[in-house]
């Protein structure tokens, strides 16, 4: 386990890229400073990664808390056969602390783009378009603290109008 801390807030994308650059192992788990991993999750995800193809990212569900109280759960699902990988990952985009990544796949994707407000969507989409597959394994992976403030990306409604309509145009 390696802790990568910044002296100042660099933002999600630059911090994640710094973690990728500093990682030395085959598998990589990105965890934000105020997120908490659920008990035993590293062992479960590593076991799943060992059973999966080398182009596979393992991810699971997330529990969100606000002011110390349970707020909601992001419960994902497996990809339906008729869905493209791009459509699936955009509909089920996991928070960066959910997946267990293979470092070589992260490096091939060129990391997170700091110019994009929600860099995980872009990043996961580029992984899919580069042949990476996401394997959903049911169960909570981490507990995420919801932050207040209108400037927080998670508090902005980027897809308010019609996300289904926008996503249906995407093809692998």
């Amino acid at each position: 386990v390696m802790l990568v801390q910044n002296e100042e807030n660099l933002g999600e994308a630059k911090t994640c890229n710094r973690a990728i650059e500093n990682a030395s192992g085959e598998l990589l788990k990105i965890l934000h400073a105020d997120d908490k991993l659920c008990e035993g999750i590293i062992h479960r995800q590593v076991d799943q990664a060992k059973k999966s193809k080398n182009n596979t990212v393992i991810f699971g569900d997330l529990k969100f808390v606000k002011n110390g109280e349970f707020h909601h759960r992001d419960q994902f699902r497996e990809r339906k056969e008729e869905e493209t990988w791009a459509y699936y990952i955009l509909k089920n985009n996991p928070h960066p602390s959910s997946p267990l990544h293979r470092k070589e796949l992260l490096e091939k994707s060129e990391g997170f783009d700091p110019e994009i407000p929600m860099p995980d969507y872009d990043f996961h989409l580029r992984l899919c378009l580069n042949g990476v597959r996401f394997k959903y394994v049911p169960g909570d992976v981490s507990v995420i603290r919801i932050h207040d403030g209108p400037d927080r990306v998670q508090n902005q409604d980027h897809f308010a109008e019609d996300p289904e309509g926008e996503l249906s145009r995407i093809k692998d």
Side-chain angles (χ1 to χ4, degrees):
V1 174
M2 175 189 283
L3 175 64
V4 177
Q5 289 182 300
N6 301 316
E7 290 183 24
E8 62 184 61
N9 185 348
L10 300 177
E12 179 181 17
K14 288 181 181 178
T15 300
C16 290
N17 289 338
R18 190 164 173 255
I20 294 167
E21 290 169 13
N22 284 283
S24 60
E26 176 188 343
L27 299 171
L28 177 68
K29 183 81 164 163
I30 295 172
L31 188 66
H32 296 166
D34 57 351
D35 299 344
K36 296 179 183 176
L37 290 177
C38 295
E39 190 173 330
I41 193 58
I42 295 292
H43 292 294
R44 287 190 317 212
Q45 285 190 320
V46 167
D47 286 346
Q48 285 295 323
K50 288 179 181 176
K51 297 175 189 173
S52 301
K53 294 179 180 177
N54 286 340
N55 70 335
T56 305
V57 169
I58 307 299
F59 77 104
D61 303 318
L62 303 166
K63 192 162 107 176
F64 288 82
V65 296
K66 185 171 185 173
N67 301 322
E69 303 278 327
F70 174 78
H71 188 267
H72 72 277
R73 174 174 274 110
D74 276 359
Q75 196 161 10
F76 299 103
R77 61 170 175 75
E78 292 183 28
R79 183 180 72 95
K80 296 175 185 171
E81 200 170 308
E82 67 274 7
E83 292 176 319
T84 66
W85 282 99
Y87 181 83
Y88 171 71
I89 203 59
L90 286 174
K91 277 193 65 102
N92 294 280
N93 185 50
H95 184 276
S97 70
S98 176
L100 179 68
H101 293 282
R102 295 181 190 280
K103 184 177 181 193
E104 71 176 281
L105 299 176
L106 296 176
E107 292 171 336
K108 286 179 186 175
S109 74
E110 300 179 14
F112 290 77
D113 186 343
E115 301 300 317
I116 295 177
M118 296 178 69
D120 49 322
Y121 274 92
D122 166 71
F123 178 66
H124 291 143
L125 178 59
R126 281 187 288 114
L127 285 172
C128 283
L129 296 175
N130 283 317
V132 174
R133 299 302 175 239
F134 284 71
K135 180 179 174 73
Y136 168 67
V137 179
D140 288 340
V141 172
S142 55
V143 178
I144 312 298
R145 184 169 64 95
I146 296 174
H147 299 270
D148 287 325
D151 60 325
R152 303 294 300 188
V153 169
Q154 66 192 17
N155 295 336
Q156 298 172 18
D157 198 354
H158 293 278
F159 302 108
E161 292 183 22
D162 183 17
E164 297 292 323
E166 291 300 312
L167 293 177
S168 64
R169 295 181 298 129
I170 297 172
K171 305 232 184 295
D172 257 358

